[in-house]
Amino acid sequence: HPLVKDFVVLDQLNEVCLQCDVDTLEKLADSMEAALKKKNAEGAAKLVHQAIESLGLKPLTPSPEDEEASTEEGSPEDEVEETPEARAQRLKEEQEQAKKTELRRKEAEKRKAEAEAKKKEEAERQAAEAAEKRKIREEQKKKEEAAAEAKRKQAEKKEREKAKKDEEKKKKQEEQEALKREQQREEAKKKAIEQAEKDRLAALAQEEQNATERVQKMFSDDRLERLDIIDKTAPAALVAELEAKLEEDASLRGSLGLLKQASLSEEQLHDCLMTLVSSVSPVWHLGLEPPKDIKPLESSLRNRAKKARQQLRTLVLKFFNDLPGGYGSDDTKAVTDYQKGMVEGLYEWRVWTVEERTAELEARKGGQPQAAAEEQPAAEAAPT
């Protein structure tokens, strides 16, 4: 270009054209064109110099003498006759220069071809990797879908079996009740009314006495069993147990979140909190208030139970107060009606009952996990 010819040696520009790839040359041309549009010839020349330096060459600038010499080369009066030796030397140098130029051109073409081949190889590799990943994802998706379908069918099968068992159990219970009523009617006909009433009252009194003693023993055994557990459990382990239960139970997280938002007195908060966490494990049941309709425990056992109850209440209250604001807000949909009713004060606070203890012991005999017997407290206790 006329505007940069005074700043760039033509031979060096040719080297750039021979050794650089097409992309580099296109970028150089676009940059020079932008500079020349701004009438910045020196800036355009600087871009060429940078390209020359990238080849390991030192940029040269045409001198005025070179230009004047090239202008005067064709002047007949200054032309000097070239000797044969000089001409031979000049031709030899030109041939060597041509060979070097051709060699550099071939090397540039070779580098370009290698770069393009490498680029193509990389593109093919990436395409193959993408295809393999896509194949893996599709296979994983199929496995997950198959597993989900199998799980759904298994659940449906269990539901059908459960419904069938419930129906059979109900029918058997109705038959047994009908038979029992018939036997009672036949028995009543054979006995005198007075003797039957006397026997019934005596039997009832004895049964009540036995039931009271049985319940008292069940309650004492229950406290001893749970106290033995808590005596062997460090406070840190109790906290870890509570944290693990919260991690797996969204309904418990959500109910604690509701409790944080509820307006309850300190006593109500303690009772409600213990009710919600009482099913975490057998030991947490000790945090509940003792039932009022059962004879108090003997003094030493009563003191141990009271100490354990206070320990659990203090521990869980601190844990509850340390929970961050907004805790459990994402799990409110998982909260059960029973948990929600407890927080809203619709039910009596949970206490120890014969029914729950009996169910727990029967669950052990049946080989069921002990926690399962405590999952459903007190048949959704009656509203307050």
Side-chain angles (χ1 to χ4, degrees), residues 212-376:
T212 299
E213 293 174 355
R214 182 177 64 85
V215 171
Q216 181 65 28
K217 186 176 186 308
M218 285 181 66
F219 185 55
S220 298
D221 292 344
D222 178 279
R223 298 298 91 174
L224 285 170
E225 177 182 305
R226 299 179 196 271
L227 286 169
D228 287 343
I229 297 174
I230 196 172
D231 287 344
K232 299 174 183 178
T233 307
L238 292 173
V239 173
E241 191 175 53
L242 180 58
E243 291 174 340
K245 182 65 175 177
L246 286 169
E247 181 68 20
E248 69 180 21
D249 191 346
S251 68
L252 184 55
R253 294 195 301 271
S255 63
L256 291 187
L258 292 179
L259 185 58
K260 269 193 168 292
Q261 300 173 16
S263 298
L264 300 177
S265 67
E266 183 176 355
E267 182 179 358
Q268 290 174 327
L269 175 64
H270 290 182
D271 291 334
C272 185
L273 182 56
M274 283 311 308
T275 295
L276 294 176
V277 302
S278 60
S279 297
V280 169
S281 74
V283 78
W284 289 90
H285 205 289
L286 290 170
L288 300 174
E289 288 290 338
K292 297 179 180 179
D293 57 346
I294 295 179
K295 182 181 178 181
L297 301 168
E298 59 92 16
S299 59
S300 61
L301 182 56
R302 183 170 67 251
N303 290 335
R304 286 181 65 195
K306 183 177 180 180
K307 180 179 178 182
R309 181 167 63 253
Q310 188 59 45
Q311 176 188 353
L312 288 171
R313 289 191 168 220
T314 301
L315 185 147
V316 77
L317 182 62
K318 182 179 184 305
F319 180 90
F320 177 78
N321 289 334
D322 289 341
L323 293 176
Y327 178 84
S329 59
D330 295 334
D331 301 305
T332 53
K333 291 184 178 179
V335 177
T336 66
D337 292 340
Y338 173 79
Q339 292 169 325
K340 185 177 180 182
M342 279 293 175
V343 175
E344 294 177 353
L346 301 180
Y347 306 125
E348 294 285 350
W349 306 128
R350 186 185 181 193
V351 295
W352 184 93
T353 64
V354 176
E355 292 78 11
E356 283 187 38
R357 180 59 174 175
T358 302
E360 178 184 347
L361 295 176
E362 289 178 353
R364 292 181 191 176
K365 293 179 181 178
Q368 300 177 16
Q370 182 169 333
E374 297 188 0
E375 285 294 330
Q376 297 297 330

